[in-house]
Amino acid sequence: MRLGRIFSTLIIFASVLGCTRSEEVFQPQSFDELPGHTMALLEGSAQAEFAEQHFKDKGVNLVYFPGFTDGMIAVRQGRADVLFANMLMTFNEAFKEQHLKICREVDELVAETGFGIKKGNVELKEELDIFLDSLITAGALKEKEERWMSNPDADPHTLLRIDPAPADPTGNGKLLKIGISGSQPPATMMLDNKWTGFEIEILQEFAATRGYQIQIQVYDFHNLIPALSSGTIDLIASTLIINEERKQKIDFSIVTFRLKTAFISKDPDYTGDTNIWQSIKKSAYASLVKDSRWKLIFNGLLLTIIITLCSLILGAILGGVVCSFRMSRKKWKASLAKGYIYIMRNTPILVFLMIMYYVVFARSGLNATAVAIIAFSMNSGAFIAEIYRSGIQSVSKGQVEAGRAMGCSAFKTFLYIVAPQAAKTAMPVLTSECITLLKGTSIVGYISIIDLTKASDLIRSTSFEAFFPLLTITLLYFILATLLTHILNAVLKKL
Amino acid sequence: MLEIKNLSISYTHSDGSTLDVLKNVSFNVSKGEVVSIIGPSGAGKSSLLRCLNRMETPTGGQVIFEGTDILSPKTDINRIRQRLGMVFQNFNLFENMSILDNVTFGPVRILGRERAEAEVEAMEILRQVGLCDKAGAMPSSLSGGQKQRAAIARCLSMKPECILFDEPTSALDPTMVGEVQSVIRQLAAQGMTMLIVTHEMKFASDVSSRILFVDKGGILEDGTPEQIFNNPRHSETRTFIQRLRCLHYEINDYNTDLYSINSDIEAFFLKYGIEHRSSVLQLIVEELLMNILKPYRPLVADISYSELDYRLIFRTLVKGLNHKVLDSSDEISLSILKGMSHKITETITDDGLLIEIA
């Protein structure tokens, strides 16, 4: 018991600090050194594709990670010897805290990046290309690149510089919805609850010049292109690498930035922090305090609470309606409810949520939070209907008969006799359904909502700190679930 | 008070076939009458009762309560039910309420009366059924007899003009039947109009002013308890009331297999728990059929046993015989028969010679 506790504490510290092994650090200078080693790759990246073509059967162990942060942590913890990825994230000021080193820049892989535009949206593409062209001619694009990309020591607060060129504002205040894949400093990053960065600056300048309003929505990287195709967003700004496959699906602006690739491994000079408390403090500061990152968590918490409560209330109402249909003597009503419950129960909520957002409400202009509330209400409505039904069926038919035989109306019989007893049976199951719903809302990040979970993801990808953001939201979910349980128990006691 | 005219009930099975339970039943109930409805299981007694307050909808006919046709869709059935109480076999108390709340539920929630006033009345009713001290108890803590008395109290709280009892003592332990019956007796003494579906013959006979015997899809017999119990007009009524169990035998040729008859008798006696009496009957059968009546065929033999008074009767009819045979028969056989029985009668009927041995 005690040993277990010590052991788990050690693991936590190891993940905070990055475990440093005493053996020699692998520092590859060429591809020939790779066989016999483990190489970390980012899922779906150009580097991963390159590695699969060239090293797959040559004794190189390839492991995949969803994001740069995860790949970096893997290298730091020794689960991979080297990370093979583009250098975008290494421009982030937090990179130097990671005790990792760029061993070599790889010239074979230079990717051109640009903004993604929906296929066929010729006006926007032309307008943006003309604007970018004017920046290139004026040397402004080069200046922006240098200011954002080659200044790792500068305070990011001082970097933003927007010079709208005097031009005719054809936008007329039209909303331009920009999809980004979260925090990718220095291209896109969150600073004091506002989005900024190299690409954001370009687009803000473009919007100011052409008279557009900008709205930024956050998606997982692999959802950006579907979101663009369905018309949910107008532009992708995610240092999107231009390749043939993507060109089939979307159009690209002219090239804004050329992205190099590098081998990244552990810093051989780093021997571990001497003061553990100091490093924990530093980690906590980077996760929560710096640039008011706690605000992101706080806003996420509010959104999580709003989505959960609204979905619970609407789900409880919808559940009542579905249940009354399900228990109706009319065959068509019962079959309708049965079908609804069958579909909802057998569709994964994440899939359902994405269908609602990217298909059903794609063009409705309804905001993502509303869509999430609708999807979760519909899903929990089906489950709650069945919970109600089992509660109602637990009340003996004889009691209903007795009430009706006394001349009590069906409604009053239900209200005074069936409902109180049904609630007593259903309440414990209902409580657990509510908590399932609360925790279930952690997937709304998929449809661009920055809830509690997504907030911690964003902080993790900016600060490269996994421990404190995750610990914080775990505690917050725990507190929310406990509060919810207590509230529902208090309601139950009143019955 | 209640007029039932040509009431028919039939059920449609899922396979489309219909089962007629009652056909064209008519009867009246006047104020103050206590009517017991008896009859074999499945005869439709409960269905008949449940049609009277439209808990079940009959397939045809009319039920008129104090001049209102309760089966008409225009009738506010809740109003009628408030005046026509019902007590169930399984009590059906409201499990989420104390006994007092069960008794005040109707007046307060249905009739909209003041709670305080209703509680005073409820306590008076509970005192009447002997449950004063259980007012605060929950139904689950009561015994079956107490539950049924509480259910009667709940019914009385609506001040009904007539009460329908649906087998009020069938779900009770034998030890608790008495307490519930005495509450119903007390109501009868107060002049309450009641219809009682019951299996308790003794109770039906003392409490009722009238008895309906329901069988074969209708009311076979309708009369005072004396008529029904002492002078039933139909054999079905008698069979039911005396709880007769019968074994029927037809012997047509002269090669009678005594052993198979004996084994059938033994099985019949075993079934009703009277195997100790089978040897006596086997002896009677042997003497009568194999000796005295040996030359006379065909004949029909019936054994009937009453579970009410434990009487065993052997009856045999020799078809087409028109003279008595016992006195002219073998004396030894006759004396054996006389020694084995209480009474032997010999009558000549239109069908032939009937011999009854009791």
Side-chain angles (χ1 to χ4, degrees), chain A residues 185-202:
Chain A
T188 57
M189 61 207 267
M190 188 166 261
L191 214 57
D192 299 335
N193 259 333
K194 279 199 192 94
W195 288 102
T196 182
F198 170 67
E199 288 192 315
I200 302 287
E201 182 185 293
I202 294 173

Side-chain angles (χ1 to χ4, degrees), chain A residues 298-312:
Chain A
F298 180 75
N299 290 342
L301 179 70
L302 285 184
L303 264 180
T304 294
I305 292 173
I306 287 168
I307 293 170
T308 306
L309 287 185
C310 291
S311 305
L312 275 182

Side-chain angles (χ1 to χ4, degrees), chain B residues 185-201:
Chain B
R185 277 199 183 93
Q186 192 190 323
L187 287 174
Q190 288 166 6
M192 176 66 78
T193 314
M194 298 188 280
L195 276 93
I196 308 167
V197 169
T198 185
H199 285 292
E200 303 278 338
M201 295 305 143

Side-chain angles (χ1 to χ4, degrees), chain A residues 459-475:
Chain A
I459 293 175
R460 208 150 45 96
S461 60
T462 313
S463 68
F464 301 143
E465 295 286 350
F467 179 71
F468 273 99
L470 287 174
L471 182 76
T472 312
I473 65 156
T474 307
L475 282 176

Side-chain angles (χ1 to χ4, degrees), chain A residues 356-367:
Chain A
M356 293 295 275
Y357 188 70
Y358 292 111
V359 183
V360 180
F361 290 108
R363 280 158 212 278
S364 68
L366 207 60
N367 82 34

Side-chain angles (χ1 to χ4, degrees), chain A residues 396-410 412-413 416-418 420-421, chain B residues 50 53 55 78 81-82 84 86 88 92-97 105-106 109-110 154 157-158:
Chain A
S396 65
K397 281 209 179 93
Q399 292 184 53
V400 179
E401 246 183 14
R404 300 288 283 132
M406 283 173 85
C408 194
S409 67
K412 276 187 182 175
T413 308
Y416 295 119
I417 298 161
V418 179
Q421 296 180 63
Chain B
R50 290 163 61 83
N53 62 352
M55 293 303 283
N78 288 339
R81 285 174 182 165
Q82 286 161 22
L84 198 59
M86 189 170 210
F88 299 86
N92 297 343
L93 290 173
F94 306 138
E95 310 267 341
N96 58 327
M97 301 178 197
F105 177 83
R109 296 291 187 200
I110 304 173
R154 177 178 65 183
S157 72
M158 298 294 285

Side-chain angles (χ1 to χ4, degrees), chain A residues 366-383:
Chain A
L366 207 60
N367 82 34
T369 310
V371 174
I373 290 170
I374 291 170
F376 279 103
S377 308
M378 285 178 73
N379 182 269
S380 69
F383 285 94

Side-chain angles (χ1 to χ4, degrees), chain B residues 47-310:
Chain B
S47 297
L48 172 62
L49 194 73
R50 290 163 61 83
C51 282
L52 305 186
N53 62 352
R54 216 164 93 188
M55 293 303 283
E56 250 170 61
T57 313
T59 5
Q62 277 184 309
V63 177
I64 295 165
F65 174 66
E66 297 278 347
T68 319
D69 179 3
I70 73 155
L71 299 179
S72 152
K74 282 181 230 153
T75 306
D76 180 357
I77 190 64
N78 288 339
R79 275 284 159 77
I80 300 293
R81 285 174 182 165
Q82 286 161 22
R83 297 160 60 193
L84 198 59
M86 189 170 210
V87 173
F88 299 86
Q89 181 177 354
N90 295 315
F91 334 128
N92 297 343
L93 290 173
F94 306 138
E95 310 267 341
N96 58 327
M97 301 178 197
S98 68
I99 297 305
L100 183 64
D101 287 343
N102 264 279
V103 182
T104 57
F105 177 83
V108 175
R109 296 291 187 200
I110 304 173
L111 304 176
R113 310 237 325 262
E114 284 295 321
R115 179 173 291 277
E117 190 190 331
E119 276 180 6
V120 173
E121 267 177 37
M123 288 309 289
E124 177 52 34
I125 295 168
L126 286 174
R127 195 192 54 73
Q128 203 185 327
V129 301
L131 284 175
C132 256
D133 54 333
K134 296 286 181 192
M138 293 307 277
S140 55
S141 66
L142 263 56
S143 72
Q146 289 170 331
K147 280 183 188 169
Q148 194 59 297
R149 284 187 283 148
I152 294 171
R154 177 178 65 183
C155 179
L156 290 175
S157 72
M158 298 294 285
K159 300 204 172 73
E161 290 158 47
C162 173
I163 303 179
L164 311 172
F165 288 89
D166 188 2
E167 304 196 18
T169 57
S170 297
L172 296 175
D173 277 356
T175 53
M176 294 171 181
V177 169
E179 57 189 81
V180 172
Q181 287 181 348
S182 73
V183 169
I184 300 173
R185 277 199 183 93
Q186 192 190 323
L187 287 174
Q190 288 166 6
M192 176 66 78
T193 314
M194 298 188 280
L195 276 93
I196 308 167
V197 169
T198 185
H199 285 292
E200 303 278 338
M201 295 305 143
K202 176 98 178 49
F203 173 65
S205 122
D206 344 312
V207 80
S208 325
S209 54
R210 208 170 127 202
I211 291 187
L212 303 180
F213 176 70
V214 176
D215 196 6
K216 308 251 155 101
I219 296 176
L220 277 189
E221 229 161 308
D222 176 353
T224 62
E226 290 72 38
Q227 284 171 336
I228 302 279
F229 286 100
N230 301 336
N231 251 324
R233 280 180 290 128
H234 288 77
S235 61
E236 283 88 356
T237 320
R238 196 185 53 233
T239 308
F240 178 76
I241 288 167
Q242 298 183 347
R243 286 199 272 163
L244 293 183
R245 308 298 172 198
C246 300
L247 184 69
H248 179 78
Y249 241 93
E250 279 181 32
I251 300 165
N252 295 319
D253 54 27
Y254 295 89
N255 307 320
T256 313
D257 182 356
L258 183 66
Y259 297 104
S260 87
I261 295 179
N262 276 345
S263 75
D264 285 348
I265 292 173
E266 257 174 53
F268 173 78
F269 277 51
L270 198 63
K271 189 171 163 193
Y272 298 106
I274 44 171
E275 56 273 27
H276 57 282
R277 291 166 78 175
S278 69
S279 57
V280 177
L281 199 86
Q282 281 169 348
L283 208 59
I284 291 172
V285 168
E286 191 180 338
E287 292 305 327
L288 193 64
L289 300 187
M290 295 298 149
N291 293 327
I292 300 172
L293 296 177
K294 196 167 185 193
Y296 308 107
R297 294 290 188 272
L299 57 80
V300 181
D302 280 294
I303 299 162
S304 66
Y305 166 67
S306 163
E307 286 190 310
L308 199 67
D309 55 12
Y310 313 114

